[in-house]
Amino acid sequence: MRELEILKEEDKEALELPRTSVEQADTTGKRKLYIESYGCQMNFSDSEIVTSILQEGGYATTSNFETADVILLNTCAIRDNAEQKVRNRLKNFNYLKKKRPEMVVGVLGCMAERLKTKFLEEEKIVDVVAGPDAYRDLPNLLSDAEEGQKAINVFLSKEETYADISPVRLNSNGVTAFVSIMRGCDNMCSFCVVPFTRGRERSRDPYSIIKECQDLLDNGYKEVTLLGQNVDSYKWASEDGSETVNFAQLLERVALVNSDLRVRFSTSHPKDITDEVLYTMKKYENICKYIHLPAQSGNSRILKLMNRTYDREWYMNRIDAIRNILGDDCGISQDMITGFCSETEEEHQDTMSLMEYVKYDYGYMFAYSERPGTPAAKKLVDDISAEVKQRRLAEIIDLQLRLSQERNNRHVGKVQKVLVEGFSKRSEDFLQGRNDQNKVVIFPKENYKKGDYVMVTITSCSTATLKGIVVKS
C-alpha cells in the first residue's frame, strides 16, 4: 500500500485498521452488538447513528467480536481493494459462525448498496444487507435474521438525513467529533460509485446541526468536523421558502456556537467552493485554515473524461483565491487518481506540475481502479497497464513527500495553537494534537491534558509530523 506513505500517522491507522465498537458498561440482559467501520469519515459517522438506533432497540455494544450476538461491517466501495478487505474480514468470522450459528452477521453501507442481493448469494455468512438510507429499519432486519431469515433493505431515500438521531460517539477521544450536515451526491464523476451507493444530495436542517454542535460542546468536546460528500453544495430552505441557508452561512452559525469550539469541514468540491466560504473562514479564528480540495488530475482533458465539471485553470483559480484570501499558510490537501483511462505521459506530467503549483501539505493518492456500474466502466477503456499506473503513482507520491516536507519546514520556529487529543502513540510522556492546518503536533506532556489548547513552538518536523516544545507564559 505505497499510497499510504504520505498520510499522517493517525490517518494511516484509520485506513489500515477498522474502527470498532466501544464496550458498553451495562450489558445485562441485552444482545451484544459489535460494529466495524471501513473507508471514509462519513462511514464512521454513520456507524455512530447505527449504534444509536440499535441501542434504542435494546442492543448493547461490545468491543470483543467473539462475544457478540450481532456483527456489523460498515463498508466502503470506492475501490476494489476496499471491498476485498471486507470480504477477507468476513472469512475471519467463519469459525465463529460455525461455532454459534445463531450469531447474525450484517453488511452495511456502500458495498451493501452496490451489491444488494448479490452479497447474500456470494457471501453465505452474511444474514443482513442494509444500505446507507436503511438504518432505521435495522431492528426489524436483525429480528428477521435472528429468526433464521435473510434480510435486506437497500432502498435509497430522497429525504433521509437522520437529523433527529443523536449519534453514539464510537472510539471517541472526547475532544473531536464528526457532524454530518448532508447526505448523498449529485456529482456524477465518471469513476465514482458514490451517487449510486448514497443516493441524491440532500441537506440537513441547520437547527439540528447547531443543536448537535452545542450538545457536543456541553459534553466537553472542543472540535467538530462538518461532513458531506460535497459540503460546499449544502443548501437548505424552510418549507415556506422564507429562509435559506448556504454552506458559508452554516459555517458562520457553527463558528458562533462558541469561540472555543474549533470547526473543520470535509470535503470541498472545486466547482462549488466560493469566495464567501473563504471570507467566512478568514473572519472566524476558530474555523481552521485547512481545506481538502480533491483535484483528481491536473489535466483538463482527463478532468473532462472524469466529468469533474471544471478544468485545470478553474482549479488553479480556486487555489489562487485560497492563497489570496487565507494566506500561504492555509493547509491544502488533495486526492489524485493516476492512470485514468487513456492518460498519456504528458497528462501525467500535468498532474505533477499542478502539485508543484499548489504545494499541497499532504494528499491521498491512488492508481485508477475501475468500478462496475460507473460511467467510466461503461463508456471508457481501462487501457493503462498496472505497471504504468504503479510507476506514475510512485512518482506523485515521491513528489508529495517532498512537498509535505517543504510545507512542514515552514512551521519550524513558529508558534502553533494545538488542541490536545491524547497521548502520542509512541510514548505517554508526550501528547499529540493538531494545529490549524490539520497537522499532527507532538510535544512533552508536562501538566497538560486532553482537551487543552496549548501554544507550541515547532522545533523539528518530518513529512507527517511536527514536534515542538510548549511556550511558557
Side-chain angles (χ1 to χ4, degrees):
M1 291 291 290
R2 182 95 195 283
E3 63 266 28
L4 294 178
E5 290 183 7
I6 46 75
L7 302 183
K8 298 178 301 159
E9 290 172 5
E10 80 274 19
D11 289 328
K12 288 183 187 180
E13 291 194 2
L15 285 175
E16 291 172 342
L17 299 173
R19 295 202 186 172
T20 61
S21 300
V22 291
E23 192 74 35
Q24 198 166 332
D26 182 14
T27 61
T28 307
K30 297 180 179 180
R31 293 180 64 74
K32 293 183 181 180
L33 165 70
Y34 174 85
I35 184 168
E36 288 185 355
S37 307
Y38 296 79
C40 70
Q41 294 169 327
M42 287 295 292
N43 274 7
F44 302 144
S45 179
D46 278 0
S47 290
E48 296 177 339
I49 290 169
V50 167
T51 303
S52 179
I53 291 169
L54 291 179
Q55 282 189 0
E56 285 290 319
Y59 289 83
T61 56
T62 177
S63 58
N64 182 2
F65 63 81
E66 293 192 345
T67 67
D69 299 297
V70 175
I71 293 176
L72 299 178
L73 302 186
N74 195 352
T75 63
C76 174
I78 197 71
R79 279 173 289 277
D80 181 65
N81 180 64
E83 293 195 356
Q84 292 308 314
K85 282 184 179 180
V86 171
R87 292 188 186 274
N88 290 334
R89 186 59 168 154
L90 287 171
K91 292 176 183 176
N92 294 337
F93 297 132
N94 275 327
Y95 79 95
L96 272 179
K97 189 71 167 175
K98 289 176 181 176
K99 187 167 65 173
R100 295 167 48 217
E102 74 279 5
M103 183 185 72
V104 174
V105 177
V107 176
L108 316 178
C110 293
M111 191 177 175
E113 188 68 44
R114 188 182 81 78
L115 291 174
K116 300 179 172 63
T117 56
K118 280 184 67 178
F119 221 129
L120 295 174
E121 298 163 7
E122 295 173 358
E123 302 289 349
K124 301 303 182 184
I125 191 176
V126 174
D127 304 299
V128 171
V129 174
D133 292 344
Y135 297 147
R136 292 182 194 270
D137 195 31
L138 273 171
N140 296 324
L141 297 175
L142 293 178
S143 178
D144 288 345
E146 287 163 357
E147 293 176 5
Q149 303 175 45
K150 298 285 186 178
I152 182 170
N153 185 340
V154 289
F155 174 75
L156 285 176
S157 170
K158 293 182 179 179
E159 291 84 30
E160 182 62 84
T161 64
Y162 301 109
D164 60 318
I165 294 175
S166 179
V168 173
R169 305 296 169 179
L170 298 174
N171 277 351
S172 171
N173 58 17
V175 178
T176 65
F178 298 137
V179 176
S180 177
I181 66 169
M182 58 195 303
R183 299 182 71 82
C185 184
D186 287 348
N187 298 306
M188 296 297 292
C189 299
S190 66
F191 56 82
C192 187
V193 298
V194 169
F196 307 103
T197 60
R198 286 193 167 268
R200 298 300 300 271
E201 192 175 273
R202 61 271 191 198
S203 297
R204 183 177 161 188
D205 78 272
Y207 297 101
S208 67
I209 295 169
I210 298 304
K211 181 181 183 303
E212 184 173 340
C213 292
Q214 182 65 59
D215 288 347
L216 285 164
L217 180 71
D218 292 343
N219 283 283
Y221 286 79
K222 294 291 187 69
E223 179 181 293
V224 294
T225 300
L226 308 181
L227 292 182
Q229 304 299 144
N230 176 15
V231 292
D232 293 288
S233 64
Y234 175 92
K235 50 186 177 294
W236 175 85
S238 59
E239 288 187 6
D240 62 4
S242 61
E243 182 184 12
T244 60
V245 179
N246 64 21
F247 181 59
Q249 293 162 340
L250 176 69
L251 195 57
E252 181 167 46
R253 292 189 186 190
V254 175
L256 288 170
V257 167
N258 192 292
S259 60
D260 280 339
L261 183 69
R262 262 189 174 177
V263 184
R264 301 187 188 273
F265 57 87
S266 186
T267 294
S268 291
H269 195 293
K271 74 178 177 63
D272 292 318
I273 189 167
T274 64
D275 287 1
E276 183 184 6
V277 168
L278 301 180
Y279 280 114
T280 301
M281 293 175 68
K282 182 178 182 179
K283 182 177 179 181
Y284 294 95
E285 187 271 340
N286 60 324
I287 302 178
C288 292
K289 308 307 182 279
Y290 161 72
I291 299 172
H292 183 59
L293 196 66
Q296 308 298 2
S297 173
N299 176 266
S300 293
R301 186 186 75 88
I302 294 297
L303 288 170
K304 187 173 183 179
L305 287 178
M306 290 177 166
N307 195 35
R308 290 291 287 172
T309 67
Y310 58 84
D311 58 16
R312 177 187 175 94
E313 286 68 33
W314 176 274
Y315 187 91
M316 293 170 72
N317 171 272
R318 293 295 77 207
I319 293 298
D320 291 344
I322 293 169
R323 297 299 188 208
N324 290 335
I325 295 170
L326 296 175
D328 288 341
D329 284 338
C330 179
I332 304 175
S333 59
Q334 46 87 345
D335 290 344
M336 289 290 182
I337 297 173
T338 189
F340 190 70
C341 306
S342 77
E343 182 188 62
T344 66
E345 282 300 319
E346 291 76 16
E347 290 164 341
H348 166 61
Q349 290 301 319
D350 283 345
T351 295
M352 302 274 283
S353 67
L354 180 68
M355 292 172 65
E356 290 274 17
Y357 182 85
V358 179
K359 300 193 182 304
Y360 294 106
D361 291 76
Y362 58 93
Y364 304 79
M365 294 165 276
F366 305 91
Y368 173 61
S369 171
E370 184 177 271
R371 307 307 293 131
T374 59
K378 293 176 180 178
K379 298 178 181 179
L380 302 175
V381 179
D382 184 9
D383 55 356
I384 308 299
S385 71
E387 292 76 16
V388 170
K389 287 180 182 179
Q390 290 303 313
R391 190 256 303 160
R392 291 177 184 173
L393 177 61
E395 289 177 2
I396 63 173
I397 288 174
D398 287 342
L399 173 56
Q400 185 58 62
L401 285 169
R402 176 171 64 79
L403 294 175
S404 295
Q405 187 68 60
E406 289 176 5
R407 292 290 294 176
N408 283 353
N409 287 343
R410 293 166 57 97
H411 293 289
V412 176
K414 296 181 179 179
V415 176
Q416 304 286 295
K417 185 178 182 180
V418 178
L419 175 59
V420 180
E421 296 179 11
F423 291 116
S424 165
K425 292 177 175 61
R426 294 187 178 182
S427 170
E428 292 195 359
D429 292 330
F430 291 82
L431 296 174
Q432 75 169 34
R434 285 177 295 159
N435 69 356
D436 212 34
Q437 292 78 29
N438 206 33
K439 297 180 181 182
V440 174
V441 181
I442 297 172
F443 59 93
K445 181 179 67 173
E446 299 184 19
N447 296 319
Y448 301 99
K449 62 185 185 303
K450 187 168 62 175
D452 287 344
Y453 284 108
V454 183
M455 304 306 291
V456 178
T457 299
I458 305 304
T459 56
S460 65
C461 67
S462 66
T463 57
T465 308
L466 306 177
K467 296 179 180 180
I469 55 174
V470 175
V471 176
K472 301 299 182 184
S473 56

